[in-house]
Amino acid sequence: MTKRYALGIDFGTESGRALLVDVETGEEIATHVHAYANGVLDETLPGGEALGPDWALQDPNDWLETLRVTVPAVMKAAGASADEIIGIGVDFTSCTVLPVDANGEPLCNDPALRKRPHAWPKLWKHHAAQPEADKITQAIRDAGDPILERYGGKMSSEWIFPKIWQVLDEDESTFDAAARFIEGGDWIVEKLCGQEARSACMAGYKGMWGGDEGFPSKDLLARLHPRLGDLVGTKLSNDIRPLGGKAGELTEEAAALMGLKPGVAVGVAVIDAHAAVPGASVTQSGRMVMVMGTSTCHMLLSEKKINVPGICGYVKDGILPGFYGYEAGQPAVGDIFAWYVEHCAPRSVHEEAASRGVSPHQLLEERAAALKPGQSGLIALDWWNGNRSVLVDAELSGLILGMTLTTRPEEIYRALIEATAFGTRRIIEAFEESGVPIAEIYACGGLPQRNRMMMRIYADVTGRPFYVAASQQASGLGAAILGAVAAGKAGGGYDSPTEAAQKMARLLDETYQPSAEAHKTYSALYQEYLALHDYFGQGENNVMKRLRAMKHA
Amino acid sequence: MTKRYALGIDFGTESGRALLVDVETGEEIATHVHAYANGVLDETLPGGEALGPDWALQDPNDWLETLRVTVPAVMKAAGASADEIIGIGVDFTSCTVLPVDANGEPLCNDPALRKRPHAWPKLWKHHAAQPEADKITQAIRDAGDPILERYGGKMSSEWIFPKIWQVLDEDESTFDAAARFIEGGDWIVEKLCGQEARSACMAGYKGMWGGDEGFPSKDLLARLHPRLGDLVGTKLSNDIRPLGGKAGELTEEAAALMGLKPGVAVGVAVIDAHAAVPGASVTQSGRMVMVMGTSTCHMLLSEKKINVPGICGYVKDGILPGFYGYEAGQPAVGDIFAWYVEHCAPRSVHEEAASRGVSPHQLLEERAAALKPGQSGLIALDWWNGNRSVLVDAELSGLILGMTLTTRPEEIYRALIEATAFGTRRIIEAFEESGVPIAEIYACGGLPQRNRMMMRIYADVTGRPFYVAASQQASGLGAAILGAVAAGKAGGGYDSPTEAAQKMARLLDETYQPSAEAHKTYSALYQEYLALHDYFGQGENNVMKRLRAMKHA
């Protein structure tokens, strides 16, 4: 019998990856990574034109190159033939948005527009639209519209409306030249199957679209700017497709690019983090999935529709059909540990790590694992990149407290890990205070599999068992699962994401059960975290904002 | 004409030093350092007996060895003859206290007592008498005695009564065996001239003695413990000698030990930090002397007698005759920077420093000097070793706030320096709020001459000009000055410390004038420092104490 494979294509911040998965068993047969030639454009355009502070762009040709390079590579590595591929799923960072012409060609590929920064795709972490985000928050509040309640009460500069409005504000001729604005993931799907099929996941979490509510009204958008009133339906598609749906079939041109056959089912695009939910085998409510890497994204399925204060957003059918999908996040997690190792870990740590052939992270983890909760005498606030959930304030910054002359590197390292765990506990409590219970946690992403101490700390801090996805590429696996669902049972795949995830995703055998004793100590420390969290984050002492203002003065 | 030289002998924490100074010009002809063989005994006695936490002892034989080694070395280096030495001054850490037998022999030299920790000299930084210090503070408050008002309101565990009481509490037979308890500096003077001549400086700052008030009453001491009621006058000398006085003349035995002639004038001992006041040429009121090294000691002369809340102490004639001498301190300054370089400065700093042949401190200073006030976005509390003045709380700990993923090592380094400068500004304000004005600051010790950026930051933060002592050994020079005063004009020296300091001490030409612009920015940052200082230090959030308790649980 012929093998049936699904391809998950995972577009990240610095690279793209193809994953070839056995549809029947979920076995990951082959994977291949392509580092983007132009990476993140945050200082200049490829032609050398300077970008302002907080800009972050990408080059769409890097995405096409990912298709061209990685798919043939995994086909070859797996020894797979083109007719064994039954479906393709795409996950992508979001909101990564680009202006295209009437033919779907990125404006930045037009020689006349190539030197204009606004003609390029704005990456999810482009933060230069903060003024527009603030104006939108204010305008929505002034209008008395409840739409932001679904998003924790604030518009983020990362989302699509601020990013599009920034183009209009700063470069109206590029705005004029744009036939459409489109999410990167939706654009790739359009490249694959020849038609736009806008992702409900991306539109929901990043575009203020709701399964029950639709888009913001024309009146509301016109209050922002007269030219934005009719944006939805003209330059912004309102043809929203549910996750798990089929966007179309592979075109001749796309098939040729990747060495596949035309006609393969292509799924609706999904945000990379959200793809990890089925990728981590979660298809039930009450289970939180944490994608833990440079940052952490928390996702949760629930039958209930509740506004959780300070939580990034919920979208009906946004993660899996039949559920409200909730999303929260911590904008720096692995990034904090990497910052620590690069800018704070002393020479002695690097030297001992090198002499033992381990990484500085491994050495620090090993030493920190010997410490008991509370033993360092330290506590930290994990706001090195602001706070995305609960406080929703990008102007907050990090804090470490309790240092003495005997404080050692591994103590600081552990305190930083603990701080990120306290941040997660605060998010869990925000959900539970609003009536969305969380019984178990499923971890995936780059960190959980290689940092067992961190998992133990998270279990002890939250008092909840932690399960770890078996896949090292839960997002890519989730995309492949959605590819198999796009094919449907008739096409050799599955008819629902739930069924597909049950067959194709699994967990590691090792789970992390909280220790009652450690949880008790951490609960006392968490009270200290909360007091500092509220003192510095809720306005009692806005020193972090004032220092930030002085820094940028 | 024969040369006239004075010897200053400076007993520090890790080493002792002799300094040979020209009495006429103040020129430092020769110096020699002797590292103590037994250093600081903080884990075990030399015989291996374990010490408890917070213990710190010294070996008196290391002090005698300092005399034996360093004096002949400087005599030889200077090409001086024994009859050119007109006076000897001794400065010593304090309160460093030892029990001696009736002959003045340290009890730890008695083979029967050698294994008993309490038979050894307790170094200034022995902190294991904290319970006794707390009991004394409480007892004095209960008695309604105003004596602690001169000392900022609290008994320190570093001072003589808690240290003696700890012997009685924990090892009564050693207490019984002690004919006397004596300061290390007074013991050296006794070794030099054959009789105890107790230093007013040490008795005043560390022994609750006052020039106007005398010692605490028998009744008060008896309230602590019945056996302490008659301590003063029996096991503790009450023959107090003013600074600048002559303790006696060099004995045959001491002269032989050092290769000198008997009969040389020996001055009353002085605390090392306090010796730096004449050593930095300061003989007037309104000028604060800062001895900046691992910690910082602030000294100030004033005609006024005022209780300054939270200031370690004032003693009439305790620094120079005719003035009330005030003392305050920051218990970790250079120690924080050293902690940072050892435990936080990343590999890149060490590598670049090594490749350029500079120290990591120099490299960080160079990079940090390029930053403007406020540019780092960071603020710190300088309590790595608690707070000695204003808050007087050893249980406080350090804090750094404002970190982001772009925070760099030199920014943290500069923030730590700034924090210590803010701490000094808080001390200056405590003095001025109490009516003791400070117009100018004179810096000496190990740090000021080799860290110009730090001096600029201190001038900018405090808004006051900083002058730097020319001598790298201001304490040793101060001791030599007091040696010359002990000799008197008739003996080839001077009749007053003021006159001697004017002749023998000088400043560097370069002074640090505050920049109005930088001072304005730093004043805004100082307000942030103050808010954190009060929030964490005045009881609003005692998280530092609770973390400390958890750490030691």
PDB file of all heavy atoms in Angstrom, chain A residues 42-71:
ATOM      1  N   ASP A  42      15.578  45.060  10.113  1.00  0.00           N
ATOM      2  CA  ASP A  42      15.204  45.997  11.171  1.00  0.00           C
ATOM      3  C   ASP A  42      16.122  47.211  11.242  1.00  0.00           C
ATOM      4  O   ASP A  42      15.909  48.086  12.076  1.00  0.00           O
ATOM      5  CB  ASP A  42      15.101  45.307  12.536  1.00  0.00           C
ATOM      6  CG  ASP A  42      16.351  44.524  12.883  1.00  0.00           C
ATOM      7  OD1 ASP A  42      17.346  44.619  12.145  1.00  0.00           O
ATOM      8  OD2 ASP A  42      16.311  43.794  13.895  1.00  0.00           O
ATOM      9  N   GLU A  43      17.098  47.248  10.358  1.00  0.00           N
ATOM     10  CA  GLU A  43      17.930  48.448  10.323  1.00  0.00           C
ATOM     11  C   GLU A  43      17.860  49.135   8.964  1.00  0.00           C
ATOM     12  O   GLU A  43      17.729  50.348   8.882  1.00  0.00           O
ATOM     13  CB  GLU A  43      19.376  48.106  10.687  1.00  0.00           C
ATOM     14  CG  GLU A  43      19.455  47.615  12.136  1.00  0.00           C
ATOM     15  CD  GLU A  43      20.878  47.400  12.606  1.00  0.00           C
ATOM     16  OE1 GLU A  43      21.795  47.353  11.766  1.00  0.00           O
ATOM     17  OE2 GLU A  43      21.067  47.266  13.833  1.00  0.00           O
ATOM     18  N   THR A  44      17.979  48.313   7.896  1.00  0.00           N
ATOM     19  CA  THR A  44      17.903  48.877   6.543  1.00  0.00           C
ATOM     20  C   THR A  44      17.124  47.913   5.649  1.00  0.00           C
ATOM     21  O   THR A  44      16.982  46.728   5.956  1.00  0.00           O
ATOM     22  CB  THR A  44      19.305  49.040   5.911  1.00  0.00           C
ATOM     23  OG1 THR A  44      19.907  47.743   5.804  1.00  0.00           O
ATOM     24  CG2 THR A  44      20.204  49.955   6.720  1.00  0.00           C
ATOM     25  N   LEU A  45      16.671  48.435   4.525  1.00  0.00           N
ATOM     26  CA  LEU A  45      16.166  47.570   3.456  1.00  0.00           C
ATOM     27  C   LEU A  45      17.358  46.878   2.798  1.00  0.00           C
ATOM     28  O   LEU A  45      18.508  47.297   2.990  1.00  0.00           O
ATOM     29  CB  LEU A  45      15.420  48.417   2.424  1.00  0.00           C
ATOM     30  CG  LEU A  45      14.115  49.068   2.911  1.00  0.00           C
ATOM     31  CD1 LEU A  45      13.471  49.875   1.776  1.00  0.00           C
ATOM     32  CD2 LEU A  45      13.148  48.015   3.427  1.00  0.00           C
ATOM     33  N   PRO A  46      17.107  45.823   2.006  1.00  0.00           N
ATOM     34  CA  PRO A  46      18.240  45.165   1.339  1.00  0.00           C
ATOM     35  C   PRO A  46      19.043  46.157   0.493  1.00  0.00           C
ATOM     36  O   PRO A  46      20.250  46.002   0.322  1.00  0.00           O
ATOM     37  CB  PRO A  46      17.568  44.100   0.472  1.00  0.00           C
ATOM     38  CG  PRO A  46      16.281  43.796   1.177  1.00  0.00           C
ATOM     39  CD  PRO A  46      15.830  45.097   1.773  1.00  0.00           C
ATOM     40  N   GLY A  47      18.401  47.197  -0.013  1.00  0.00           N
ATOM     41  CA  GLY A  47      19.118  48.191  -0.807  1.00  0.00           C
ATOM     42  C   GLY A  47      19.854  49.213   0.021  1.00  0.00           C
ATOM     43  O   GLY A  47      20.527  50.099  -0.521  1.00  0.00           O
ATOM     44  N   GLY A  48      19.742  49.129   1.347  1.00  0.00           N
ATOM     45  CA  GLY A  48      20.492  50.026   2.210  1.00  0.00           C
ATOM     46  C   GLY A  48      19.683  51.176   2.787  1.00  0.00           C
ATOM     47  O   GLY A  48      20.198  51.919   3.630  1.00  0.00           O
ATOM     48  N   GLU A  49      18.434  51.343   2.357  1.00  0.00           N
ATOM     49  CA  GLU A  49      17.621  52.440   2.886  1.00  0.00           C
ATOM     50  C   GLU A  49      17.357  52.211   4.379  1.00  0.00           C
ATOM     51  O   GLU A  49      16.946  51.126   4.786  1.00  0.00           O
ATOM     52  CB  GLU A  49      16.279  52.536   2.131  1.00  0.00           C
ATOM     53  CG  GLU A  49      16.414  52.888   0.650  1.00  0.00           C
ATOM     54  CD  GLU A  49      16.790  51.685  -0.226  1.00  0.00           C
ATOM     55  OE1 GLU A  49      16.801  50.539   0.287  1.00  0.00           O
ATOM     56  OE2 GLU A  49      17.098  51.910  -1.416  1.00  0.00           O
ATOM     57  N   ALA A  50      17.581  53.246   5.165  1.00  0.00           N
ATOM     58  CA  ALA A  50      17.476  53.105   6.621  1.00  0.00           C
ATOM     59  C   ALA A  50      16.028  52.987   7.071  1.00  0.00           C
ATOM     60  O   ALA A  50      15.124  53.600   6.497  1.00  0.00           O
ATOM     61  CB  ALA A  50      18.130  54.300   7.303  1.00  0.00           C
ATOM     62  N   LEU A  51      15.836  52.183   8.098  1.00  0.00           N
ATOM     63  CA  LEU A  51      14.517  52.048   8.724  1.00  0.00           C
ATOM     64  C   LEU A  51      14.525  52.762  10.073  1.00  0.00           C
ATOM     65  O   LEU A  51      15.562  52.920  10.695  1.00  0.00           O
ATOM     66  CB  LEU A  51      14.196  50.567   8.930  1.00  0.00           C
ATOM     67  CG  LEU A  51      14.159  49.734   7.647  1.00  0.00           C
ATOM     68  CD1 LEU A  51      13.994  48.254   7.974  1.00  0.00           C
ATOM     69  CD2 LEU A  51      13.029  50.219   6.742  1.00  0.00           C
ATOM     70  N   GLY A  52      13.359  53.169  10.527  1.00  0.00           N
ATOM     71  CA  GLY A  52      13.254  53.852  11.817  1.00  0.00           C
ATOM     72  C   GLY A  52      13.319  52.877  12.973  1.00  0.00           C
ATOM     73  O   GLY A  52      13.358  51.656  12.774  1.00  0.00           O
ATOM     74  N   PRO A  53      13.324  53.405  14.205  1.00  0.00           N
ATOM     75  CA  PRO A  53      13.306  52.530  15.376  1.00  0.00           C
ATOM     76  C   PRO A  53      12.021  51.715  15.420  1.00  0.00           C
ATOM     77  O   PRO A  53      10.967  52.177  14.978  1.00  0.00           O
ATOM     78  CB  PRO A  53      13.373  53.502  16.564  1.00  0.00           C
ATOM     79  CG  PRO A  53      13.035  54.843  16.020  1.00  0.00           C
ATOM     80  CD  PRO A  53      13.373  54.828  14.558  1.00  0.00           C
ATOM     81  N   ASP A  54      12.127  50.512  15.930  1.00  0.00           N
ATOM     82  CA  ASP A  54      10.984  49.603  16.121  1.00  0.00           C
ATOM     83  C   ASP A  54      10.421  49.038  14.819  1.00  0.00           C
ATOM     84  O   ASP A  54       9.366  48.405  14.833  1.00  0.00           O
ATOM     85  CB  ASP A  54       9.848  50.281  16.916  1.00  0.00           C
ATOM     86  CG  ASP A  54      10.281  50.657  18.322  1.00  0.00           C
ATOM     87  OD1 ASP A  54      11.108  49.918  18.882  1.00  0.00           O
ATOM     88  OD2 ASP A  54       9.816  51.680  18.838  1.00  0.00           O
ATOM     89  N   TRP A  55      11.095  49.284  13.701  1.00  0.00           N
ATOM     90  CA  TRP A  55      10.660  48.650  12.457  1.00  0.00           C
ATOM     91  C   TRP A  55      11.162  47.212  12.391  1.00  0.00           C
ATOM     92  O   TRP A  55      12.223  46.885  12.922  1.00  0.00           O
ATOM     93  CB  TRP A  55      11.209  49.423  11.242  1.00  0.00           C
ATOM     94  CG  TRP A  55      10.340  50.587  10.855  1.00  0.00           C
ATOM     95  CD1 TRP A  55      10.115  51.705  11.610  1.00  0.00           C
ATOM     96  CD2 TRP A  55       9.595  50.746   9.641  1.00  0.00           C
ATOM     97  NE1 TRP A  55       9.268  52.552  10.932  1.00  0.00           N
ATOM     98  CE2 TRP A  55       8.928  51.988   9.718  1.00  0.00           C
ATOM     99  CE3 TRP A  55       9.420  49.961   8.506  1.00  0.00           C
ATOM    100  CZ2 TRP A  55       8.107  52.459   8.699  1.00  0.00           C
ATOM    101  CZ3 TRP A  55       8.610  50.434   7.489  1.00  0.00           C
ATOM    102  CH2 TRP A  55       7.940  51.668   7.591  1.00  0.00           C
ATOM    103  N   ALA A  56      10.401  46.359  11.702  1.00  0.00           N
ATOM    104  CA  ALA A  56      10.844  44.978  11.439  1.00  0.00           C
ATOM    105  C   ALA A  56      10.091  44.489  10.202  1.00  0.00           C
ATOM    106  O   ALA A  56       8.870  44.369  10.216  1.00  0.00           O
ATOM    107  CB  ALA A  56      10.558  44.078  12.640  1.00  0.00           C
ATOM    108  N   LEU A  57      10.847  44.222   9.136  1.00  0.00           N
ATOM    109  CA  LEU A  57      10.248  43.808   7.861  1.00  0.00           C
ATOM    110  C   LEU A  57      10.802  42.442   7.465  1.00  0.00           C
ATOM    111  O   LEU A  57      11.781  41.959   8.027  1.00  0.00           O
ATOM    112  CB  LEU A  57      10.592  44.829   6.766  1.00  0.00           C
ATOM    113  CG  LEU A  57      10.270  46.302   7.084  1.00  0.00           C
ATOM    114  CD1 LEU A  57      10.737  47.209   5.941  1.00  0.00           C
ATOM    115  CD2 LEU A  57       8.771  46.485   7.328  1.00  0.00           C
ATOM    116  N   GLN A  58      10.131  41.824   6.486  1.00  0.00           N
ATOM    117  CA  GLN A  58      10.706  40.621   5.871  1.00  0.00           C
ATOM    118  C   GLN A  58      10.646  40.756   4.357  1.00  0.00           C
ATOM    119  O   GLN A  58      10.022  41.675   3.818  1.00  0.00           O
ATOM    120  CB  GLN A  58       9.946  39.363   6.320  1.00  0.00           C
ATOM    121  CG  GLN A  58      10.414  38.860   7.690  1.00  0.00           C
ATOM    122  CD  GLN A  58       9.808  37.536   8.085  1.00  0.00           C
ATOM    123  OE1 GLN A  58       8.729  37.183   7.626  1.00  0.00           O
ATOM    124  NE2 GLN A  58      10.508  36.793   8.935  1.00  0.00           N
ATOM    125  N   ASP A  59      11.322  39.809   3.713  1.00  0.00           N
ATOM    126  CA  ASP A  59      11.369  39.781   2.249  1.00  0.00           C
ATOM    127  C   ASP A  59      10.524  38.591   1.766  1.00  0.00           C
ATOM    128  O   ASP A  59      10.848  37.438   2.069  1.00  0.00           O
ATOM    129  CB  ASP A  59      12.829  39.609   1.803  1.00  0.00           C
ATOM    130  CG  ASP A  59      12.962  39.626   0.285  1.00  0.00           C
ATOM    131  OD1 ASP A  59      11.928  39.523  -0.423  1.00  0.00           O
ATOM    132  OD2 ASP A  59      14.111  39.739  -0.188  1.00  0.00           O
ATOM    133  N   PRO A  60       9.457  38.830   1.013  1.00  0.00           N
ATOM    134  CA  PRO A  60       8.578  37.715   0.602  1.00  0.00           C
ATOM    135  C   PRO A  60       9.294  36.704  -0.283  1.00  0.00           C
ATOM    136  O   PRO A  60       8.876  35.540  -0.367  1.00  0.00           O
ATOM    137  CB  PRO A  60       7.441  38.411  -0.154  1.00  0.00           C
ATOM    138  CG  PRO A  60       7.985  39.731  -0.565  1.00  0.00           C
ATOM    139  CD  PRO A  60       8.989  40.123   0.476  1.00  0.00           C
ATOM    140  N   ASN A  61      10.373  37.125  -0.908  1.00  0.00           N
ATOM    141  CA  ASN A  61      11.107  36.173  -1.740  1.00  0.00           C
ATOM    142  C   ASN A  61      11.783  35.096  -0.885  1.00  0.00           C
ATOM    143  O   ASN A  61      11.998  33.972  -1.343  1.00  0.00           O
ATOM    144  CB  ASN A  61      12.121  36.917  -2.612  1.00  0.00           C
ATOM    145  CG  ASN A  61      11.398  37.936  -3.488  1.00  0.00           C
ATOM    146  OD1 ASN A  61      10.489  37.589  -4.239  1.00  0.00           O
ATOM    147  ND2 ASN A  61      11.752  39.203  -3.331  1.00  0.00           N
ATOM    148  N   ASP A  62      12.085  35.442   0.367  1.00  0.00           N
ATOM    149  CA  ASP A  62      12.614  34.434   1.293  1.00  0.00           C
ATOM    150  C   ASP A  62      11.575  33.347   1.566  1.00  0.00           C
ATOM    151  O   ASP A  62      11.923  32.185   1.771  1.00  0.00           O
ATOM    152  CB  ASP A  62      13.027  35.089   2.619  1.00  0.00           C
ATOM    153  CG  ASP A  62      14.357  35.838   2.511  1.00  0.00           C
ATOM    154  OD1 ASP A  62      15.186  35.471   1.658  1.00  0.00           O
ATOM    155  OD2 ASP A  62      14.561  36.794   3.285  1.00  0.00           O
ATOM    156  N   TRP A  63      10.311  33.761   1.562  1.00  0.00           N
ATOM    157  CA  TRP A  63       9.260  32.760   1.823  1.00  0.00           C
ATOM    158  C   TRP A  63       9.124  31.810   0.620  1.00  0.00           C
ATOM    159  O   TRP A  63       9.009  30.600   0.803  1.00  0.00           O
ATOM    160  CB  TRP A  63       7.917  33.453   2.068  1.00  0.00           C
ATOM    161  CG  TRP A  63       7.956  34.522   3.149  1.00  0.00           C
ATOM    162  CD1 TRP A  63       8.838  34.624   4.178  1.00  0.00           C
ATOM    163  CD2 TRP A  63       7.056  35.621   3.272  1.00  0.00           C
ATOM    164  NE1 TRP A  63       8.546  35.723   4.949  1.00  0.00           N
ATOM    165  CE2 TRP A  63       7.451  36.364   4.421  1.00  0.00           C
ATOM    166  CE3 TRP A  63       5.945  36.082   2.547  1.00  0.00           C
ATOM    167  CZ2 TRP A  63       6.781  37.513   4.842  1.00  0.00           C
ATOM    168  CZ3 TRP A  63       5.267  37.220   2.983  1.00  0.00           C
ATOM    169  CH2 TRP A  63       5.688  37.933   4.112  1.00  0.00           C
ATOM    170  N   LEU A  64       9.159  32.384  -0.572  1.00  0.00           N
ATOM    171  CA  LEU A  64       9.060  31.529  -1.770  1.00  0.00           C
ATOM    172  C   LEU A  64      10.259  30.600  -1.872  1.00  0.00           C
ATOM    173  O   LEU A  64      10.135  29.431  -2.259  1.00  0.00           O
ATOM    174  CB  LEU A  64       8.953  32.391  -3.033  1.00  0.00           C
ATOM    175  CG  LEU A  64       7.667  33.228  -3.141  1.00  0.00           C
ATOM    176  CD1 LEU A  64       7.689  34.054  -4.429  1.00  0.00           C
ATOM    177  CD2 LEU A  64       6.432  32.328  -3.111  1.00  0.00           C
ATOM    178  N   GLU A  65      11.404  31.145  -1.500  1.00  0.00           N
ATOM    179  CA  GLU A  65      12.626  30.334  -1.533  1.00  0.00           C
ATOM    180  C   GLU A  65      12.512  29.161  -0.559  1.00  0.00           C
ATOM    181  O   GLU A  65      13.012  28.067  -0.819  1.00  0.00           O
ATOM    182  CB  GLU A  65      13.823  31.227  -1.182  1.00  0.00           C
ATOM    183  CG  GLU A  65      15.176  30.626  -1.478  1.00  0.00           C
ATOM    184  CD  GLU A  65      15.448  30.405  -2.970  1.00  0.00           C
ATOM    185  OE1 GLU A  65      14.633  30.845  -3.812  1.00  0.00           O
ATOM    186  OE2 GLU A  65      16.477  29.767  -3.260  1.00  0.00           O
ATOM    187  N   THR A  66      11.837  29.384   0.550  1.00  0.00           N
ATOM    188  CA  THR A  66      11.596  28.304   1.515  1.00  0.00           C
ATOM    189  C   THR A  66      10.823  27.165   0.840  1.00  0.00           C
ATOM    190  O   THR A  66      11.175  25.982   0.985  1.00  0.00           O
ATOM    191  CB  THR A  66      10.816  28.839   2.728  1.00  0.00           C
ATOM    192  OG1 THR A  66      11.617  29.822   3.378  1.00  0.00           O
ATOM    193  CG2 THR A  66      10.476  27.723   3.719  1.00  0.00           C
ATOM    194  N   LEU A  67       9.768  27.530   0.114  1.00  0.00           N
ATOM    195  CA  LEU A  67       9.007  26.497  -0.600  1.00  0.00           C
ATOM    196  C   LEU A  67       9.903  25.749  -1.580  1.00  0.00           C
ATOM    197  O   LEU A  67       9.900  24.514  -1.655  1.00  0.00           O
ATOM    198  CB  LEU A  67       7.844  27.126  -1.370  1.00  0.00           C
ATOM    199  CG  LEU A  67       6.731  27.796  -0.553  1.00  0.00           C
ATOM    200  CD1 LEU A  67       5.702  28.425  -1.502  1.00  0.00           C
ATOM    201  CD2 LEU A  67       6.063  26.779   0.367  1.00  0.00           C
ATOM    202  N   ARG A  68      10.668  26.521  -2.331  1.00  0.00           N
ATOM    203  CA  ARG A  68      11.465  25.959  -3.418  1.00  0.00           C
ATOM    204  C   ARG A  68      12.567  25.029  -2.905  1.00  0.00           C
ATOM    205  O   ARG A  68      12.900  24.026  -3.545  1.00  0.00           O
ATOM    206  CB  ARG A  68      12.091  27.105  -4.233  1.00  0.00           C
ATOM    207  CG  ARG A  68      12.608  26.695  -5.610  1.00  0.00           C
ATOM    208  CD  ARG A  68      13.344  27.842  -6.286  1.00  0.00           C
ATOM    209  NE  ARG A  68      14.583  28.201  -5.580  1.00  0.00           N
ATOM    210  CZ  ARG A  68      15.715  27.524  -5.653  1.00  0.00           C
ATOM    211  NH1 ARG A  68      15.791  26.429  -6.402  1.00  0.00           N
ATOM    212  NH2 ARG A  68      16.783  27.914  -4.974  1.00  0.00           N
ATOM    213  N   VAL A  69      13.113  25.366  -1.739  1.00  0.00           N
ATOM    214  CA  VAL A  69      14.257  24.611  -1.219  1.00  0.00           C
ATOM    215  C   VAL A  69      13.840  23.467  -0.311  1.00  0.00           C
ATOM    216  O   VAL A  69      14.342  22.348  -0.424  1.00  0.00           O
ATOM    217  CB  VAL A  69      15.204  25.569  -0.448  1.00  0.00           C
ATOM    218  CG1 VAL A  69      16.256  24.780   0.324  1.00  0.00           C
ATOM    219  CG2 VAL A  69      15.827  26.567  -1.403  1.00  0.00           C
ATOM    220  N   THR A  70      12.917  23.766   0.605  1.00  0.00           N
ATOM    221  CA  THR A  70      12.693  22.781   1.682  1.00  0.00           C
ATOM    222  C   THR A  70      11.826  21.606   1.242  1.00  0.00           C
ATOM    223  O   THR A  70      12.052  20.481   1.708  1.00  0.00           O
ATOM    224  CB  THR A  70      12.046  23.442   2.918  1.00  0.00           C
ATOM    225  OG1 THR A  70      10.734  23.911   2.578  1.00  0.00           O
ATOM    226  CG2 THR A  70      12.883  24.598   3.438  1.00  0.00           C
ATOM    227  N   VAL A  71      10.849  21.853   0.398  1.00  0.00           N
ATOM    228  CA  VAL A  71       9.959  20.738   0.029  1.00  0.00           C
ATOM    229  C   VAL A  71      10.715  19.666  -0.763  1.00  0.00           C
ATOM    230  O   VAL A  71      10.664  18.476  -0.394  1.00  0.00           O
ATOM    231  CB  VAL A  71       8.704  21.243  -0.706  1.00  0.00           C
ATOM    232  CG1 VAL A  71       7.861  20.071  -1.203  1.00  0.00           C
ATOM    233  CG2 VAL A  71       7.870  22.125   0.231  1.00  0.00           C
TER     234      VAL A  71
END
